[in-house]
Amino acid sequence: MAHYLQLSLTGLGAGAVVAVLAIGLVLTFRASNVVNLAHAAMGTYIAYVYYGLRNFNVASTQKGGNLVLPVFGVPGVVHLIDRPTVVTALAIALVVAALVGALVYLLVFRALRNAPPLARLVASLGLFLYLQAVMELRAHDIGAGAATLPLTSLLPNGVVRLGSVVVPTASFVLAGLAVTVAVVLGAVFRYTRFGLSTRAAAESEKGAILIGVSPDRVGLLNWIIASVLAGGAMIFVAGITSQLNPTQSSLLVVPALAAALLARLDSFAMATFAGLAIGVTQSGVATFQSQAAWLPSWLPNDGLRQALPVLLILVAITIRGAHLPTRASLVDSRLPVAPVPRRPWLWIPLLSGAAVVALYTLDAQWRLAIVVSVIAALIALSCVVVTGYVGQISLALYAFAGLAAFATAKLELAGVGFPWAPLVAVILTVVVGILFGLPAVRVRGMTLAVATIAAAVAIEQLVFNSPALNGLSGVPNPQLFGSNLGFLAPGAANFRPAFGVVAVVVLAASMLAVANLRRSPTGLRWLAVRSNERAAAAAGINVGSTKLSAFAASSLFAGLGGALLAYELPALSPQQFLVVGALAVLALTYLGGIATLSGALIAGFLASGGVLTRIQGGAAADTTTQYALSGILLILVAAFYPDGLSMAVRRAITRLHSVWLRGVRSRGAT
Amino acid sequence: MTALLEVTDLCVDYSGLRAVDGLSISLAHGTIMGLIGPNGAGKTTTIDALCGFVPQVRGSILLDGHPIDSLPPHMRARAGLVRTFQSIELFVDLSVEENLLVATSTSRWWSPFVDAVAPRRHVHRDDVNLALDTVGLRSLATARPSDLSHGQRRLVGVARALASRPKLVLLDEPAAGLDPAETASLGQMLRNLPELGIAVLLVDHDMSLVLDVCDRLTVVDFGQVIASGVPMDVREDPSVISAYLGGGS
Ligand SMILES: Nc1ncnc2c1ncn2[C@@H]1O[C@H](COP(=O)(O)OP(=O)(O)O)[C@@H](O)[C@H]1O
Ligand SMILES: [Mg+2]
């Protein structure tokens, strides 16, 4: 028992970091209604700044003092001062944090103040992808990769003894800091004019202006505080855990989001409590898993620790939700227009035919690119159905694809033959998809988005990381009626076109099905629920089951994409299905047009390693640059073309068409 | 003969505030009842509770003799109890016609599979056209809600409620924002509904409309019924005059 107590108290340190991140999320949400997915990524960048500055060795000639720049395309670092002390480096880092917070607000979120919630989410996604990519690139500039950065703890190394329980002092210090921050902010928000202004601005921008508050100044200040807090938290956590990694550190936002949601994105005290509780539970669960011998051996080492607290919060939020939004909650759920596809029976077969011709006439690299794009389009299509048509933001789709891929591979390797292995895998995926769609019956909007990230993290931590699934390879080629439909051919980098045809046919059939659904009674119900859940219920529509039908359809398409991946990839590994991939799927689909069929195709075209990459002539090596660019593009599209590229093109065509018609008419008249 | 709608002792709470307090009404088949009262009296909350949008603390609701208290909103709608919203709440992504079609569509768990392969036709087009004719908006069938005037949107909301051929419609301020001509034709239309087998519970502030079309009136204030009866009597009721009619309107 004492052992558990000791480990739980040790978890206070990690919990404090989650708590401070959660407080920052509450701040930015209160100030500008943004659930900032890039919050921890901003903090991670600040940690890079700090440890980059401190990257020197007294004995060597290395001078350190290099400031890492977050801007793509300029020199990676500038030299500031030689051998800065801890205090100097910390001061510089926190000033940079304040600047980053201010810039992010002024350049991105101020402009999106009145944008639809999905656009705001996507913009924060763009920021996330951008920061991550820049950090990947800069890791080299500040000292031969992050692994060798001197990640020393800023906190005392001693321990506190409580009877037989020994706890690092640092844990208590961090927890104390977190509680102090919460108390101070709570007091500031309750008693000062700034706090009142923030609340006024959050309630109504017009009202705030009327009582003489500038929403801009209030927003700016909140973003600066949030960014400084995130920077401080990430500097501390990197020092304690000796880990700083663009992806893993940025994903600390997931437990922080869970804590912030439990606090209804409103209460600092509750966010802090929930954050600390997550840390303590995680440590306790880790001990439990390391000691309980009866747990199945396929369970990943770190799985329960990572997944359990987040899942518990997911359940809590779901239970707290309601079947329908209340009259008072003015939900703003404007989504991009969802046009009925024009003449799908014409252009889908035509495009498919062109793709098949390309598969048989172009070289193996092109074949690979086409197949990658087709599979990506299929996964994007699942996003179009659930997010575009029904308005349920799901970030678990990529995890569903991964589930289908692993299941297909596992079944194939167990000797289940071709049509049956993917069939069973896809059915399994649909069942899981419906299961993880259940929260959508009771929660909506951003809460649902976060719930689905939590689900994706749980699948990743509990399933993909399992030793039983590590490095699945040697999936046999699919055979049907004696013909070989496989992709991988003997010999290096050679690919068979027959598999490409299978993929194209699956995508074409799926797109035709979605086109049918869109104009059918089912499609009308989906759009009705997307528009207005209360009115839909009043019109006799079962809102819950309508949402679940969309989750089922969407996981079906994601599952088909995943099953194809099992045959396309020479080996499967958990790294291929990280949560970041899911963010990229939503990002690309949004870019293309999240509520249109052609949007899914554009997403496939843009996917890394797909046709666009091939046209650029590049191997997929430069994905990092591509991520950085697509991050920026995403923010721009969210701000200026919230309907996505395909609608921009469609409108341009319509405009050209009418100009042309006018030209024809005026010529006819003269 | 049982009443179409029999509400007994209905109570609704909003975090401490009792918005509907022991309300009882009885509405016969083929009648139009007016539910009136000052702002904040609990009229919208009553409609919300009858349709299952807010939980009731106490009370019972019988529709055609069957208890519907435990049914979710969409089941109450399918049972023939349909409402409009004070804030209209059309489906902005759908055309006028589709707004009505979706209210008449039916769905089973396998319907999406059928629709994916061979989309079902909309079987209730006649009902939809009839409802659009009733409110006089047939010519706007393919328009988008965003292209309509405020009054037209309200009428589409009413048409959507009528399209599913309900037994009883609860109309929440259907005349708000309508011009006098539109209000007059709305009154005309409402009077015809009982012949189509549709009873009406009408909430509105336009007293001439209410007095004109209603067979009976129920007056509420602070969530309680303060008077009910035929319009002539209710008009004369002193408590009504002090609470509402005399209130300067
Ligand atoms: N969601 C809500 N939360 C708390 N109180 C509410 C809510 N909706 C309405 N109320 C209150 O309930 C009372 C009745 O409101 P309502 O039914 O809208 O009245 P009416 O429709 O007659 O104007 C009012 O005092 C109103 O302020
Ligand atoms: Mg009202």
Side-chain angles (χ1 to χ4, degrees), chain A residues 327, chain B residues 39 43-45 86 172-173 203:
Chain A
R327 163 151 55 114
Chain B
N39 270 327
K43 306 180 294 293
T44 299
T45 306
Q86 190 173 346
D172 201 348
E173 308 203 6
V203 171

Side-chain angles (χ1 to χ4, degrees), chain A residues 397-409 425 428-430 432-433 436 459 463-464 469 559 562-563 577:
Chain A
L397 300 172
Y398 205 53
F400 296 157
L403 209 59
F406 279 115
T408 307
L428 175 81
T429 309
V430 171
V432 174
F436 279 109
I459 294 180
V463 182
F464 296 168
L469 294 178
F577 299 99

Side-chain angles (χ1 to χ4, degrees), chain B residues 6-166:
Chain B
E6 189 75 61
V7 183
T8 329
D9 195 23
L10 185 70
C11 291
V12 180
D13 283 357
Y14 285 126
S15 51
L17 173 93
R18 180 142 289 191
V20 175
D21 190 3
L23 181 122
S24 301
I25 27 180
S26 173
L27 199 153
H29 286 268
T31 55
I32 301 182
M33 177 185 275
L35 181 66
I36 59 173
N39 270 327
K43 306 180 294 293
T44 299
T45 306
T46 303
I47 294 185
D48 276 346
L50 293 180
C51 295
F53 285 80
V54 292
Q56 68 204 59
V57 184
R58 219 176 47 223
S60 78
I61 308 170
L62 300 180
L63 182 71
D64 240 353
H66 302 288
I68 57 167
D69 321 61
S70 56
L71 297 182
H74 67 274
M75 293 301 288
R76 298 192 198 190
R78 289 184 205 167
L81 180 64
V82 170
R83 69 173 295 183
T84 68
F85 292 91
Q86 190 173 346
S87 43
I88 309 182
E89 321 257 338
L90 297 183
F91 303 121
V92 289
D93 300 310
L94 304 182
S95 70
V96 166
E97 185 178 41
E98 287 172 332
N99 262 276
L100 273 63
L101 282 171
V102 77
T104 62
S105 71
T106 53
S107 185
R108 295 310 186 98
W109 67 265
W110 62 81
S111 302
F113 294 95
V114 177
D115 283 339
V117 180
R120 291 171 295 157
R121 299 198 166 281
H122 299 286
V123 285
H124 295 288
R125 252 177 217 285
D126 293 346
D127 293 345
V128 167
N129 289 338
L130 183 67
L132 281 177
D133 282 335
T134 312
V135 298
L137 289 179
R138 181 79 172 268
S139 56
L140 292 174
T142 57
R144 301 247 139 206
S146 53
D147 301 331
L148 304 182
S149 73
H150 184 81
Q152 287 168 332
R153 268 184 243 171
R154 241 185 222 295
L155 292 178
V156 173
V158 174
R160 182 175 66 189
L162 299 179
S164 60
R165 295 181 159 270

